[in-house]
Amino acid sequence: MDDESHTYPLIRVQDLKVRYGHREVVHGISFDVQKNEIFAIIGPAQSGKSSILKCLNRTLEFIADAKMSGSVEVNGVDVKKVHNVYELRREIGMVAPLPVGLPLSIFDNVAFAPRASGLRDKHELDALVQRCLEQAALWDEVKDRLNSLGTKLSGGQQQRLTIARALSHQPSILCLDEFSIAIDPVTTMRIEDVLKELKAELTVVLVTNLVQQARRLADRTMFVWNGEVVELGPTDAIFSEQPQSQKTYDYVHGIFG
Amino acid sequence: MEQEVLDLPEGAVPGPIKAPGAKPMMHGRKRPVWEIGFEVGLEWLIRLCGISAILFVFGIFAFVFREGAGFLFSGRFSLPKFLFTTEWYPTSMSNIRYGVLALIVGTGSVTILAMAIAVPFGLGAAIFISEFCTGRIKEILKIIIELLAAIPSVVWGFIGISIMNPLIQTVFSVPVGLNVFNGATLLALMSVPIMVSIGEDSLKAVPDSFREAALAMGATRWQTIVRVLLPAAKNGLLAAVLLGIGRAVGETMAVLMATGHAVKIPHSIFDPVRTLTATIAAELGEASVGSDHYQVLFIVGILLFTITFVVNLSADLIVRGVRKG
Amino acid sequence: MFTETQFGKSRRRAELLAKCVLGMMVASMIIPLFLIVGYLVKEAWPLLSLDFLFTNPTGGMRHGGIWSALLGTLYLVTLSLLIAAPIGVLAAVYLNEYARDSWFTRIINLAVVNLAGVPSIVHALFGLGAFVLFAGIGRSILAASLTLAIMTLPVIIASTKEALSAVPISFREACWNVGASRWQTIRGIVLPNSISGILTGVILQVSRAAGETAPIMFTGAVFFKKIEAGNIFAYSIWDQCMALSMHLFTITTQVTDAPRALPFATAVVLLGTVLIVNALSIGLRVYLRSRKKW
């Protein structure tokens, strides 16, 4: 059983297309993500990177005229056939570009998801909240004021709070969508360290427009441009002097984009 | 996404997802069944409440129609006579006649005069508040206008009788102060707030870049308003006027009390009239349930419903046009 | 150096003139309003006292106070609030949180707008036809409250929708991302952060319902009814009742030889109630705007 599940890629995307109304923004993308790797998706803005993430946990449904086709499998299950979409969303931790502290206390921010999934036990919640905040490297800064509002934290702290919240439902995949866009470089580096540690426990899908961030963190990197995969391979190969595509070379070396 | 995906029940009972070779997705924690059941039930209740507005609008039409239908289809009722004659003698001993033309003209004259007063004042106030006032003064003026809207119509009616009536008698030296002018003034004051708020909204909706562009070319603020803002906001302002008209046509208590009770076509603004709404309010109490008179009053109700429905619908379509454009 | 041309001067004069004219228009609406309110209070002054509120009208409504009318209005407002608030809030939740942008949603919104535009007297006809006669409730506080509730529903829907849509969409997305269902998101984040905005709408409904006359005229309100003074349980919901607005109408138009101060005092109490409740709602809104959590 265990062996068998290892042969499964954790995420398998085949011929994924996303349309908003009549505008197609993702034109048939396929890729696999293996267990316990950091998989980076790079590309200029508006190239469809965020839309791909929204398909993984089916939050694309909340966008009024968005349509998706092709197959997306998470853990070997087609997301379109998932019976309980909440289970699917809990399986994937999602971190949005801008930090979102919910207008609740710091504790409640992290405890929101476990409570929503039915966990009521106070001790279990305490332990879980502490563990998630520790994993997100935020515990030391907030342990004395868990009851103050999450929205009152600084931007960098809120982003780590968001990560703690994404970990709180014990996902096997953590997706980060340009998480460093609104925070300072020091916090960014701290979060990158966090991600390196988390890699032992879960799989990270990292969407970023910072090329060097992908280079620092990712095992494999996919370069998306205009809704199509230009190149997909080990990060070293992408960032080498001779990637398969000239466009990749130009992009990662800052000649365009 | 495909439709069947969207229609998955939101509160579906959780269970591990089964797929060959896949590990179970969640960690075996389950929400209690009663909680999920409660949620599903509640969501149906929310949907029901959501469509309730439709049900109520249809219900209003259906029930008013139901009460009036008996006479409407009885053969004793003739629509042209109803709409185009001025003789309203519902309780006459010898010859009962139901002609509402005088009432329509009554409603029309009060409404038109009210609009003649309210449109310049309402839109003027909207322009003044939106373009010439800032900060605290703007807030205070808006609050006062809002409080103006809150005054109950029966209080307006009382003001019409106790203050406007003697005032009109002395100022214009006319014998009766309860007339078209009195009612129209009250209606104007009552419909100004809605015109101000919708008008101000539509002026606010004109992008600031328009203002800046005009001012940068050396236009004064007034020129900007006349040449740029008013044309750009014209649909919204039109909708504001229509909503004001809707309010004025449907108003009951104030006109019941302040316009005098004379079923006749007015010849001057100092003639007393009676409106459609006032007629229902004044006579429904005396008409015995199920009688012709009673049913005719419901037919007048249908007429009122139709008029205001059309007016509000056009206002809404115009506003929607603004949002799209 | 810049020198102003003759043309420039006349343009500036036109602007000043426009500002003055518009300002005077606003003033000409607002100043008489204060004069009117002042006049009402002045005329009512001799009668205004707590006694006036808590004694019953006597002598064919020519003397005494307004207790039975005040209590009737309290019953009508409370009951209509209990009916309209849940329906209105849930309807707004549906429109803002569940409904997609489709033709069906547009029709619902259109229905709300039209419901707000239906003349009050037509609501009265509806209440009479549907609740009093068809449902067989008879003329009663219940039938009148149901009519009032439907009439004031759009007020609650509109302000609740506004309060809900003020909660940023990113909060909802954050909740959906962690696997919360729609209702858990609404219950956990959306409602707690809009409850005070919803409250302002509910208060507004109260003020609206308290002032309405036409819808209750034929559905439950009567000219005169004798009840025990000072007993707040004097009505049952199956009774007909007096109401403040109806009472003002009655003593103004039907009782011609009432002392002059009586209708004025009644009007001042009614107006005062409505304006105070409204000011509460506005105050709450202003206060909330000044302390946002995000």
Side-chain angles (χ1 to χ4, degrees):
Chain A
M1 187 71 182
D2 231 8
D3 283 341
E4 206 178 353
S5 73
H6 268 288
T7 62
Y8 259 90
L10 201 56
I11 300 172
R12 164 166 282 172
V13 175
Q14 274 168 332
D15 197 28
L16 176 69
K17 290 177 182 158
V18 177
R19 280 192 297 130
Y20 295 113
H22 294 292
R23 196 167 51 91
E24 193 174 86
V25 294
V26 176
H27 320 285
I29 280 183
S30 306
F31 63 91
D32 288 344
V33 179
Q34 302 296 336
K35 216 170 172 220
N36 294 70
E37 72 169 339
I38 296 185
F39 184 83
I41 304 177
I42 59 171
Q46 301 292 317
S47 51
K49 307 184 303 276
S50 303
S51 304
I52 298 172
L53 288 193
K54 285 202 163 78
C55 293
L56 293 184
N57 72 348
R58 264 179 51 187
T59 42
L60 194 75
E61 288 171 16
F62 292 110
I63 300 170
D65 52 354
K67 285 203 165 34
M68 139 196 178
S69 65
S71 94
V72 176
E73 286 174 19
V74 173
N75 246 346
V77 183
D78 189 338
V79 296
K80 278 197 257 177
K81 298 192 181 111
V82 164
H83 283 114
N84 186 338
V85 69
Y86 311 119
E87 293 255 310
L88 171 70
R89 290 188 189 138
R90 283 196 283 266
E91 193 64 16
I92 301 172
M94 194 64 79
V95 178
L98 298 177
V100 182
L102 294 174
L104 300 169
S105 75
I106 294 171
F107 184 91
D108 289 341
N109 255 287
V110 183
F112 185 84
R115 279 187 185 138
S117 66
L119 182 63
R120 296 286 188 274
D121 186 79
K122 179 84 177 91
H123 295 293
E124 231 177 299
L125 272 178
D126 283 345
L128 184 65
V129 168
Q130 181 174 353
R131 195 172 72 232
C132 293
L133 285 171
E134 278 169 354
Q135 279 180 319
L138 189 60
W139 175 251
D140 290 333
E141 288 161 56
V142 300
K143 64 184 171 197
D144 302 323
R145 47 177 175 137
L146 287 176
N147 287 323
S148 63
L149 271 181
T151 41
K152 294 275 191 281
L153 293 173
S154 73
Q157 288 173 323
Q158 281 199 39
Q159 191 60 297
R160 277 175 285 158
L161 182 65
T162 313
I163 292 177
R165 201 171 56 220
L167 294 171
S168 69
H169 41 89
Q170 293 151 297
S172 56
I173 302 161
L174 182 65
C175 297
L176 299 105
D177 189 358
E178 303 190 348
F179 71 90
S180 51
I181 209 163
I183 56 181
D184 60 289
V186 180
T187 317
T188 305
M189 295 312 288
R190 282 190 73 172
I191 295 179
E192 286 185 11
D193 291 339
V194 167
L195 294 181
K196 283 180 205 153
E197 281 171 31
L198 285 174
K199 188 185 152 184
E201 290 169 40
L202 37 71
T203 307
V204 177
V205 177
L206 177 69
V207 165
T208 178
N209 57 355
L210 301 179
V211 182
Q212 295 311 319
Q213 193 171 57
R215 184 179 205 165
R216 285 193 295 270
L217 293 173
D219 299 306
R220 289 192 306 145
T221 298
M222 177 166 79
F223 173 38
V224 181
W225 191 68
N226 262 348
E228 278 165 9
V229 180
V230 177
E231 192 167 342
L232 165 59
T235 303
D236 293 343
I238 299 268
F239 285 87
S240 70
E241 289 302 310
Q242 284 129 349
Q244 286 164 13
S245 155
Q246 182 62 34
K247 210 180 254 168
T248 312
Y249 180 86
D250 290 351
Y251 182 70
V252 301
H253 290 85
I255 293 169
F256 84 99
Chain B
M1 269 195 191
E2 271 81 346
Q3 197 57 41
E4 74 263 26
V5 175
L6 297 180
D7 285 348
L8 275 176
E10 287 281 350
V13 182
I17 301 155
K18 290 186 185 64
K23 73 178 178 96
M25 268 201 174
M26 251 312 272
H27 325 87
R29 208 152 53 217
K30 279 184 187 169
R31 298 173 62 196
V33 176
W34 64 265
E35 198 181 296
I36 293 156
F38 171 77
E39 199 172 304
V40 172
L42 194 71
E43 287 187 333
W44 276 107
L45 189 65
I46 287 173
R47 287 192 183 89
L48 186 69
C49 288
I51 60 169
S52 67
I54 299 185
L55 297 182
F56 288 139
V57 171
F58 273 109
I60 288 172
F61 184 78
F63 276 102
V64 175
F65 190 81
R66 183 173 166 273
E67 291 295 312
F71 186 63
L72 195 57
F73 300 116
S74 67
R76 279 166 294 153
F77 178 80
S78 130
L79 190 63
K81 251 191 179 166
F82 176 70
L83 286 179
F84 301 119
T85 62
T86 58
E87 268 114 53
W88 177 262
Y89 296 113
T91 51
S92 162
M93 286 301 184
S94 51
N95 185 8
I96 292 180
R97 280 153 291 170
Y98 303 110
V100 291
L101 186 60
L103 305 178
I104 295 177
V105 174
T107 293
S109 59
V110 177
T111 305
I112 290 170
L113 184 57
M115 286 304 116
I117 304 168
V119 169
F121 277 82
L123 299 188
I127 294 171
F128 185 75
I129 290 174
S130 161
E131 303 299 321
F132 288 110
C133 293
T134 46
R136 184 145 286 195
I137 296 179
K138 187 173 186 169
E139 281 307 306
I140 291 174
L141 282 179
K142 282 170 83 172
I143 286 174
I144 293 177
I145 300 278
E146 213 179 317
L147 288 175
L148 186 65
I151 300 179
S153 66
V154 68
V155 172
W156 283 120
F158 175 68
I159 292 169
I161 288 182
S162 64
I163 299 178
M164 296 286 291
N165 182 19
L167 205 62
I168 291 174
Q169 281 173 332
T170 17
V171 174
F172 299 98
S173 48
V174 286
V176 231
L178 299 177
N179 50 31
V180 175
F181 181 71
N182 191 338
T185 315
L186 299 179
L187 279 189
L189 281 168
M190 295 177 78
S191 39
V192 155
I194 192 166
M195 289 171 134
V196 174
S197 78
I198 306 273
E200 206 229 326
D201 278 352
S202 59
L203 283 170
K204 217 192 300 171
V206 179
D208 274 342
S209 57
F210 282 36
R211 291 183 182 82
E212 281 152 19
L215 291 172
M217 287 189 297
T220 62
R221 229 164 1 156
W222 178 242
Q223 285 171 321
T224 312
I225 291 168
V226 175
R227 308 266 169 78
V228 181
L229 296 185
L230 290 186
K234 90 175 170 294
N235 279 351
L237 298 176
L238 184 60
V241 173
L242 279 176
L243 287 174
I245 293 177
R247 180 93 204 261
V249 169
E251 181 42 52
T252 311
M253 295 315 288
V255 291
L256 172 67
M257 295 163 83
T259 56
H261 276 278
V263 187
K264 59 169 194 181
I265 304 228
H267 297 291
S268 91
I269 58 170
F270 296 113
D271 277 358
V273 289
R274 194 147 98 190
T275 65
L276 294 165
T277 50
T279 304
I280 302 178
E283 295 180 6
L284 191 64
E286 307 152 16
S288 58
V289 173
S291 66
D292 283 358
H293 184 196
Y294 171 90
Q295 297 190 7
V296 163
L297 291 177
F298 276 86
I299 299 174
V300 175
I302 299 172
L303 184 64
L304 265 175
F305 182 87
T306 316
I307 296 173
T308 51
F309 191 84
V310 170
V311 170
N312 284 310
L313 196 66
S314 353
D316 190 73
L317 290 178
I318 291 170
V319 171
R320 211 167 287 282
V322 174
R323 283 206 204 110
K324 268 188 190 151
Chain C
M1 292 299 277
F2 292 109
T3 46
E4 199 170 30
T5 60
Q6 195 58 40
F7 181 54
K9 260 186 204 161
S10 75
R11 287 199 317 178
R12 282 204 313 157
R13 217 171 286 145
E15 163 137 353
L16 199 64
L17 185 71
K19 192 172 174 178
C20 286
V21 169
L22 290 176
M24 269 154 62
M25 278 172 130
V26 175
S28 68
M29 286 190 304
I30 289 173
I31 293 170
L33 189 72
F34 283 105
L35 290 180
I36 287 173
V37 173
Y39 182 71
L40 289 179
V41 174
K42 176 182 152 270
E43 292 294 316
W45 196 250
L47 265 183
L48 285 180
S49 69
L50 275 182
D51 256 9
F52 181 68
L53 299 182
F54 291 111
T55 50
N56 273 320
T58 50
M61 292 181 278
R62 285 171 192 84
H63 305 288
I66 51 170
W67 167 253
S68 44
L70 200 61
L71 187 69
T73 292
L74 186 70
Y75 268 67
L76 289 171
V77 167
T78 313
L79 194 55
S80 72
L81 178 68
L82 290 178
I83 299 163
I87 298 180
V89 170
L90 290 185
V93 166
Y94 175 79
L95 285 171
N96 206 59
E97 307 292 324
Y98 286 84
R100 279 151 196 285
D101 193 14
S102 67
W103 61 270
F104 186 65
T105 312
R106 277 201 285 280
I107 287 187
I108 296 180
N109 279 313
L110 204 60
V112 174
V113 170
N114 272 298
L115 195 60
V118 171
S120 54
I121 191 70
V122 175
H123 277 284
L125 294 178
F126 165 65
L128 178 60
F131 302 126
V132 175
L133 300 174
F134 181 76
I137 300 175
R139 297 189 186 201
S140 61
I141 291 180
L142 181 60
S145 301
L146 283 166
T147 315
L148 275 182
I150 290 178
M151 174 159 188
T152 51
L153 202 56
V155 178
I156 296 189
I157 295 182
S159 47
T160 306
K161 245 170 76 177
E162 205 181 311
L164 293 176
S165 59
V167 177
I169 186 81
S170 63
F171 289 176
R172 296 183 181 87
E173 279 172 356
C175 294
W176 295 334
N177 276 336
V178 298
S181 68
R182 256 183 212 272
W183 172 249
Q184 284 175 328
T185 307
I186 295 166
R187 174 74 193 74
I189 296 296
V190 180
L191 284 184
N193 285 289
S194 52
I195 191 74
S196 15
I198 295 172
L199 208 60
T200 65
V202 170
I203 299 174
L204 218 57
Q205 189 268 359
V206 167
S207 110
R208 195 65 208 287
E212 279 302 337
T213 317
I216 58 175
M217 258 173 134
F218 309 112
T219 50
V222 286
F223 286 161
F224 184 74
K225 188 172 170 75
K226 218 174 145 68
I227 60 161
E228 189 189 335
N231 176 7
I232 61 162
F233 301 106
Y235 288 120
S236 103
I237 62 166
W238 307 102
D239 285 346
Q240 297 188 319
C241 68
M242 290 178 72
L244 212 46
S245 51
M246 182 82 168
H247 188 60
L248 176 60
F249 174 70
T250 315
I251 55 177
T252 312
T253 59
Q254 317 287 321
V255 186
T256 44
D257 54 346
R260 182 166 166 79
L262 187 63
F264 279 94
T266 312
V268 166
V269 173
L270 177 59
L271 189 62
T273 314
V274 168
L275 289 189
I276 287 171
V277 170
N278 239 277
L280 259 177
S281 162
I282 294 171
L284 182 62
R285 198 181 59 207
V286 171
Y287 171 70
L288 288 172
R289 222 180 271 157
S290 69
R291 49 166 289 273
K292 277 205 149 180
K293 272 197 204 162
W294 56 85

